[in-house]
Amino acid sequence: MFDLIIIGGGPGGYMAAERAGHAGLKVLLIEKRALGGVCLNEGCIPSKTLLHSAKLYDYAAHGNEYGVYSGGSRPEIDHKLVIERKNKVVEKLVSGVSALMKAKKVTVVYGEAQIIDSGTVKVGDEVYNGSRLMIATGSVPVIPPIDGLAEGLSKGFVITSREILDLEKVPKHLTVIGGGVVGLEMASYYSAAGSKVTVIEMLHQIAGAMDTEISDLLMKSYEKKGIEFLLDTKVTAITKDSVIYDGGSVKANKVLLSIGRKPFIEGFGLENLDLVIKNGAIETDSIGLTNRPNVYAVGDVNGRYMLAHAAYREAEVAVSHMLGESDTMCYDAVPSVIYTSPEVASVGETEKSAKARGIDTTSVTVPMVYSGRYVAENTATDGICKVIINKEHRNIIGVHLYGSYASEIITSACMMIEMQMRVEEVQKFIFPHPTVSEMIREAVFRL
Ligand code: NAI
């Protein structure tokens, strides 16, 4: 009899297993593919490995602007080696998770779980019993009903975020459907690797709900690198060599479908639990509990924030609850990052989202060229840092960064928002000098 059975070994599942095992609970973790889930095997980590190569390529290509020459020849990306390195990185991290499970005495079973009831799960012929169940089955790509799409997918002409990370050859022309995070990150890598890239996005801006000013800057920087964008454009059909949209078509050697993901809730007996499903996701409360006592759902499957770091924290909160500790999930400060070059990082409200919630705001934007380190390390001058505050209470409610180190700097902004810090408190912080993070200090000084 286990204290906790977890279905799904991605960030939500393995974090819960680690924390619960650490606390002395007897844990069973069931995974059908590989520990680490989509994030580690075919998402966050492999894509960051590719993007790092693209970043190095960028540095090499523009080395002369910094007085660094590589003997006259243009740098090149050896895609095969990049993929080989990516596989090694993934292997190393997956074995790290496996070692962690062993260290925390978590029983790991590989196979497809079938839920019989909230205390019973089968894997093949084996039956496992537990006093608590956690569903952490993640998400799968959305496949819309577009003419010719199913055939394109079956022939490998259309691929998803999984296959794009394992392409053997760089496609001559890559057409990306969906200008969200996956689309942009892959457009960025393949453009550096030599593809002509076209991104088709049905909204008026790329990067979804991102601050509009930053999304515009990002698009301009991609365009400078040769990536082509078709905005306000909806794909209507796929043929054997083209993507058709209202008013035109674009040829391609490969098409990446990246129009979002949906919770994975089918085919493993979830119906036997009678859970409340809302908009295709398992409904949970602020500690990750479903409508059934002792059944938790964390990560993408609850449809709240489809981000690994949200899953990590949801897993911790759920385990705290199991241990009788008081803890709740706060979604006010979940950062989002696009790891292209330059990086984009964002947390909290945009002016638009604050307005929709009836919050009166004041904001300030400072150019990153105010940072000595930014100027020393960049020839670009378009980086910005935007800070948004609640006008009445003067606490920080949103920070949006476009420029180098954005992904690392954003953590300090998350803390400011989560702790509801007021401008006057943040103004008293000492930031290391010279860093790009000082731009937050510069911004709050102006509020
Ligand atoms: P997404 O939701 O970020 O973006 C999908 C985009 O496709 C949207 O902009 C949408 O307007 C557009 N779209 C939808 N239907 C379309 C159509 N028929 N024609 C043209 N455009 C259309 O989804 P994405 O990029 O697939 O990412 C999936 C999930 O993975 C997201 O939840 C994302 O946050 C997560 N992720 C996060 C990363 C990160 O944090 N750096 C990296 C990669 C993925």
Side-chain angles (χ1 to χ4, degrees):
M1 179 80 169
F2 288 95
D3 297 316
L4 172 63
I5 298 179
I6 302 169
I7 305 179
Y14 77 70
M15 176 61 73
E18 194 233 324
R19 298 294 198 251
H22 182 78
L25 298 188
K26 198 173 167 213
V27 183
L28 168 67
L29 177 63
I30 306 170
E31 168 55 51
K32 66 178 177 184
R33 299 175 80 125
L35 286 180
V38 168
C39 172
L40 225 162
N41 294 281
E42 53 198 60
C44 328
I45 301 298
S47 58
K48 261 73 277 173
T49 314
L50 266 57
L51 284 166
H52 187 67
S53 294
K55 199 173 265 181
L56 291 181
Y57 169 84
D58 249 9
Y59 282 143
H62 296 105
N64 60 334
E65 292 166 23
Y66 302 87
V68 179
Y69 290 85
S70 56
S73 57
R74 248 191 101 66
E76 263 178 47
I77 286 187
D78 186 332
H79 178 68
K80 199 165 159 273
L81 289 184
V82 173
I83 299 294
E84 275 172 26
R85 177 173 172 272
K86 180 268 294 181
N87 291 339
K88 279 190 198 140
V89 168
V90 170
E91 224 170 88
K92 188 171 180 180
L93 292 172
V94 170
S95 67
V97 175
S98 178
L100 191 62
M101 294 302 104
K102 213 176 251 172
K104 300 297 172 190
K105 300 191 169 44
V106 172
T107 305
V108 179
V109 167
Y110 291 94
E112 291 211 22
Q114 278 295 323
I115 299 171
I116 308 299
D117 58 45
S118 63
T120 319
V121 177
K122 270 179 92 172
V123 181
D125 293 333
E126 286 299 321
V127 178
Y128 300 96
N129 293 300
S131 49
R132 302 178 189 88
L133 178 62
M134 176 179 279
I135 298 155
T137 48
S139 60
V140 287
V142 169
I143 310 288
I146 292 175
D147 260 7
L149 180 59
E151 202 184 338
L153 282 162
S154 71
K155 290 195 165 143
F157 172 54
V158 182
I159 53 177
T160 68
S161 54
R162 174 180 291 168
E163 299 80 39
I164 189 102
L165 293 163
D166 276 322
L167 280 187
E168 281 179 6
K169 264 175 57 190
V170 173
K172 235 177 163 178
H173 190 166
L174 174 70
T175 295
V176 177
I177 307 178
V181 199
V182 170
L184 294 175
E185 290 188 349
M186 287 302 100
S188 194
Y189 170 74
Y190 278 95
S191 159
S195 294
K196 171 175 167 43
V197 180
T198 308
V199 178
I200 305 180
E201 167 56 53
M202 71 178 186
L203 299 179
H204 192 59
Q205 69 169 54
I206 58 166
M210 181 67 66
D211 173 87
T212 311
E213 196 179 342
I214 289 186
S215 143
D216 286 350
L217 282 169
L218 190 62
M219 194 169 109
K220 276 190 196 121
S221 112
Y222 290 152
E223 280 175 333
K224 263 196 215 152
K225 291 179 183 163
I227 301 175
E228 182 183 54
F229 289 92
L230 298 166
L231 299 184
D232 299 304
T233 304
K234 205 166 171 195
V235 171
T236 53
I238 309 277
T239 65
K240 64 178 189 344
D241 62 357
S242 302
V243 176
I244 317 289
Y245 52 87
D246 298 328
S249 70
V250 55
K251 279 210 183 305
N253 303 97
K254 283 278 179 213
V255 176
L256 169 65
L257 182 73
S258 51
I259 62 161
R261 298 180 66 88
K262 61 174 186 180
F264 181 60
I265 54 168
E266 278 163 10
F268 58 95
L270 201 61
E271 57 286 357
N272 298 333
L273 294 180
D274 250 338
L275 298 185
V276 176
I277 306 289
K278 208 171 158 192
N279 299 325
I282 301 176
E283 194 171 63
T284 53
D285 64 12
S286 60
I287 47 172
L289 259 183
T290 65
N291 56 308
R292 297 279 297 252
N294 293 337
V295 178
Y296 300 80
V298 303
D300 287 13
V301 77
N302 68 28
R304 285 170 176 261
Y305 271 85
M306 290 197 170
L307 291 168
H309 42 275
Y312 277 156
R313 181 70 192 126
E314 287 174 348
E316 286 178 340
V317 170
V319 172
S320 297
H321 180 253
M322 293 171 204
L323 301 173
E325 294 162 6
S326 116
D327 201 357
T328 56
M329 189 66 199
C330 169
Y331 291 99
D332 291 345
V334 181
S336 64
V337 175
I338 307 181
Y339 295 83
T340 52
S341 184
E343 290 182 347
V344 174
S346 172
V347 60
E349 306 287 347
T350 59
E351 280 142 321
K352 199 168 153 192
S353 69
K355 196 171 170 198
R357 292 180 62 191
I359 305 169
D360 224 356
T361 60
T362 304
S363 77
V364 66
T365 301
V366 290
M368 282 192 181
V369 287
Y370 286 9
S371 152
R373 185 171 188 192
Y374 181 84
V375 176
E377 294 185 1
N378 288 280
T379 47
T381 52
D382 56 352
I384 59 167
C385 164
K386 178 185 275 193
V387 176
I388 300 172
I389 63 165
N390 179 312
K391 196 170 185 174
E392 189 189 344
H393 303 295
R394 292 187 56 73
N395 60 307
I396 315 283
I397 58 168
V399 174
H400 308 276
L401 304 164
Y402 169 82
S404 36
Y405 308 110
S407 60
E408 300 291 344
I409 298 169
I410 202 71
T411 316
S412 61
C414 297
M415 292 177 198
M416 291 167 199
I417 294 175
E418 178 110 16
M419 303 310 289
Q420 302 188 355
M421 282 186 182
R422 299 174 67 252
V423 167
E424 290 69 22
E425 290 170 302
V426 177
Q427 281 170 344
K428 291 179 185 154
F429 285 162
I430 298 174
F431 289 72
H433 176 77
T435 58
V436 182
S437 69
E438 286 175 284
M439 289 309 93
I440 295 183
R441 182 183 141 81
E442 283 306 308
V444 290
F445 169 72
R446 289 166 172 76
L447 281 163

